[in-house]
Amino acid sequence: MRRNNLILAICCISLFIVGLDVTIVNLALPSLRTEFDSSVSGLQWVVDAYTLVLASLLVLGGSTADRIGRRRVFQTGLALFGLGSLLCSLAPSLGWLIAFRAVQAVGGSMLNPVALSIITNTITEPRERARAIGIWGSVVGLSMALGPVLGGALVDAFGWRSIFWINVPVAVAAIVLCALFVPESRSEHARAADPGGQLLVLTLLATVTFGIIEGPNLGWTHPAILACFAAAAIALALLIPYENRRPQPLLDLHVFRSVPFTGASLIAICAFGSLGGFLFLNAIYLQDVRGLSPLHAGLWTLPMALTTAVTAPLAGRIVGARGPRLPLILAGSAMSIALLPLTQLTATTPVWLLLASYFVFGFGYGMVNAPITNTAVSGMPRSRAGVAAAITSTSRQTGSAIGVAVIGAAVVSGLGGTTAGGFARASHTGWWIMVGCSLAVLALALLTTSARARATATRVETREPALINS
């Protein structure tokens, strides 16, 4: 039991710093603009380089770990993430910082899916494994929620480079502890490499992510954006028949017949679309409309972060005891209720109403991560745990990118002026989109946790041994 808890702690600490780097850097952007005299597009790529590479390589990281060894890939990811963080803290220019952020993301892509696969295959008792998966999912969400708070505090106290310093000793310690306590494991029936499938998946995710992120900046009809979406469509059109013909594909598409697995991916997209939009609009509103500093803007989100910290472990325990249905229903309901008052946001919205909305949103967000992960893994054969974790992690990143892109585009198109009141009014459409995403979480929760849905997961798991032996 103690060894399992230590393994869980190693995985969770490693994942915490990866998730933290998705959001923490936003609070450092003004400092980066001052030091490097950067354009807005340059600052955008400081964020986008990490998200784009991370989303594009998660599936590859999970499948590679299942094949060649989970501990080996996990330690490699820790080393690359730590190295990338160190290089980021020493970056002499914005261009180098963007490149080093990509190095960070390559390492991070080997951590998110592989950690869950290690947990799933090391902790074998069903109830204990469900609790561990719940804690893992909670850490992913908590790290992203705490990013704005910690980022603002570190930048104000020690400068922007400090947000990268903290990753280095954590990565080194995790590498050592992993070597001492984490056993090596791999899939019982190792699949052959699928470079064609990996290339198509990489192309699909990279071009879609790039198009979504850059679409609002360049315009949706810009030739580069149209070319990205055309390349994505071609990659998808080739991927499906290519993978269906392979005896051992990178991504066995029949697993999407599992309603819980497919539903978990869709829930992740909707939930993190709401989170990405929330963080994006709220940061602009608090700083440009309310006139707060980055530190104070981060502190205003403390109700969300603290509520997430309390409810996330609770969600993991509920999942372990009763399954994912109740936490998902609570998540969709709470997020919808929290966002509704913000659809009427003004420059003078009462502080108590804002803080109450942050509090309720944090409750809903804290409830959603653990059941997403549990539903996805329980809806897929355990031998494919790495790919299951990779797809749900990719869904989270894709959802966040879509949320920022779509909601940002809606707000920009609705701006009637440059005044604070103008932005507040223009943001109403974005908040309504987030309400819709949250209601979708609720609807999918009811659909994907029913007895009929669980039966589809059983059929998929039963079919896996037949596929392996054929």
Side-chain angles (χ1 to χ4, degrees):
M1 177 69 72
R2 290 184 60 186
R3 182 172 183 175
N4 286 350
N5 288 337
L6 184 57
I7 292 172
L8 177 62
I10 294 169
C11 293
C12 287
I13 292 172
S14 304
L15 291 176
F16 184 83
I17 59 175
V18 174
L20 200 66
D21 269 48
V22 174
T23 56
I24 195 173
V25 76
N26 289 288
L27 275 297
L29 294 181
S31 298
L32 292 173
R33 180 174 56 197
T34 300
E35 179 165 339
F36 295 131
D37 191 24
S38 169
S39 65
V40 174
S41 62
L43 296 178
Q44 185 72 25
W45 272 112
V46 173
V47 179
D48 295 350
Y50 186 85
T51 306
L52 175 62
V53 175
L54 188 65
S56 299
L57 296 180
L58 283 169
V59 173
L60 177 61
S63 63
T64 301
D66 281 343
R67 187 172 60 254
I68 71 173
R70 299 178 179 109
R71 185 179 68 180
R72 179 185 303 175
V73 172
F74 191 69
Q75 289 179 301
T76 302
L78 285 167
L80 282 174
F81 188 82
L83 175 63
S85 298
L86 177 62
L87 293 174
C88 284
S89 72
L90 302 173
S93 68
L94 193 74
W96 281 110
L97 177 60
I98 292 169
F100 297 149
R101 286 280 284 169
V103 175
Q104 265 192 311
V106 172
S109 70
M110 302 180 191
L111 301 181
N112 274 25
V114 181
L116 179 59
S117 189
I118 289 173
I119 292 170
T120 303
N121 287 274
T122 302
I123 303 175
T124 56
E125 197 278 319
R127 189 179 182 89
E128 185 183 357
R129 185 169 65 239
R131 181 188 66 86
I133 291 173
I135 294 173
W136 179 90
S138 302
V139 168
V140 174
L142 181 60
S143 64
M144 295 185 69
L146 287 176
V149 180
L150 294 180
L154 286 170
V155 171
D156 273 13
F158 305 107
W160 67 266
R161 296 179 189 272
S162 63
I163 65 176
F164 300 109
W165 293 341
I166 61 174
N167 296 332
V168 178
V170 175
V172 172
I175 290 172
V176 174
L177 292 173
C178 190
L180 293 175
F181 298 105
V182 177
E184 183 62 282
S185 66
R186 54 179 57 85
S187 178
E188 295 179 2
H189 304 277
R191 292 171 179 255
D194 181 11
Q198 290 170 355
L199 178 61
L200 288 171
V201 168
L202 177 62
T203 301
L204 173 63
L205 294 177
T207 51
V208 167
T209 305
F210 183 91
I212 290 172
I213 290 173
E214 289 297 327
N217 297 327
L218 299 178
W220 296 108
T221 58
H222 190 280
I225 301 302
L226 295 177
C228 279
F229 288 128
I234 293 171
L236 180 61
L238 294 174
L239 176 66
I240 294 174
Y242 177 84
E243 293 292 270
N244 279 333
R245 286 197 301 267
R246 287 188 61 83
Q248 293 182 331
L250 168 71
L251 182 59
D252 193 347
L253 297 177
H254 90 279
V255 299
F256 285 97
R257 298 174 185 173
S258 165
V259 172
F261 178 77
T262 303
S265 299
L266 294 175
I267 289 172
I269 291 173
C270 293
F272 277 76
S274 290
L275 175 67
F278 176 91
L279 294 175
F280 175 72
L281 292 189
N282 194 57
I284 296 175
Y285 173 76
L286 291 180
Q287 295 183 62
D288 290 353
V289 180
R290 292 280 184 169
L292 301 179
S293 68
L295 174 59
H296 289 144
L299 291 175
W300 275 44
T301 66
L302 268 177
M304 173 186 166
L306 293 176
T307 309
T308 300
V310 173
T311 58
L314 175 62
R317 288 194 291 270
I318 295 175
V319 170
R322 301 185 56 178
R325 186 180 181 88
L326 178 59
L328 286 175
I329 291 174
L330 292 173
S333 301
M335 292 170 71
S336 302
I337 293 171
L339 293 168
L340 275 173
L342 302 180
T343 61
Q344 305 302 315
L345 194 67
T346 69
T348 58
T349 296
V351 174
W352 69 264
L353 182 58
L354 291 175
L355 297 181
S357 294
Y358 299 162
F359 178 87
V360 178
F361 188 86
F363 175 86
Y365 177 59
M367 280 285 168
V368 80
N369 269 286
I372 284 175
T373 306
N374 181 271
T375 302
V377 173
S378 64
M380 200 169 183
R382 202 199 312 176
S383 63
R384 305 289 280 156
V387 172
I391 293 174
T392 53
S393 296
T394 300
S395 298
R396 289 180 172 96
Q397 299 301 324
T398 302
S400 181
I402 291 174
V404 172
V406 173
I407 292 167
V411 172
V412 169
S413 65
L415 276 173
T418 58
T419 64
F423 176 83
R425 287 192 300 272
S427 71
H428 293 175
T429 301
W431 295 113
W432 277 115
I433 292 173
M434 283 181 267
V435 171
C437 289
S438 301
L439 291 173
V441 171
L442 177 59
L444 288 166
L446 296 172
L447 175 65
T448 61
T449 57
S450 66
R452 182 175 297 181
R454 291 194 298 271
T456 65
T458 301
R459 288 196 294 271
V460 169
E461 189 165 5
T462 301
R463 185 170 180 258
E464 177 79 359
L467 290 173
I468 293 171
N469 295 327
S470 63

